Amino acid sequence: MEIGKVNYFEKVETSKHQEFLQAHNNCILCGSTLELQHIRTEEPHTIKEEAHCPECEMRTRAKIYTLQ
């Protein structure tokens, strides 16, 4: 199973690991590789990650991370 253009440093050896990467990095509707955007928010020490599909133009996730 090919993951696509995304490069990982760890070895992807198990099928469960491959399935996880496929589910988080590819569009659930068309299978295209998601584009990720990371935005610094106005709140201190937070970054917002948005993922969207360039083919379907569907936003698949938006998550805010707090930096320690």
Side-chain angles (χ1 to χ4, degrees), residues 3-65:
I3 300 294
K5 298 179 193 175
V6 182
N7 295 317
Y8 293 94
F9 296 105
E10 70 271 7
K11 292 182 181 178
V12 181
E13 297 175 348
T14 68
S15 61
K16 286 193 182 246
H17 193 175
Q18 290 175 345
E19 289 171 10
F20 176 84
L21 292 175
Q22 182 73 24
H24 283 82
N25 295 309
N26 295 83
C27 178
I28 195 159
L29 296 176
C30 71
S32 296
T33 301
L34 296 175
E35 291 184 359
L36 300 176
Q37 183 177 23
H38 297 91
I39 304 162
R40 191 170 39 177
T41 64
E42 291 183 19
E43 295 179 39
H45 309 294
T46 60
I47 303 258
K48 182 177 182 179
E49 176 190 69
E50 294 181 349
H52 75 279
C53 177
E55 298 297 319
C56 300
E57 297 183 10
M58 179 177 175
R59 188 175 80 161
T60 59
R61 74 175 171 262
K63 189 166 185 178
I64 295 178
Y65 297 98

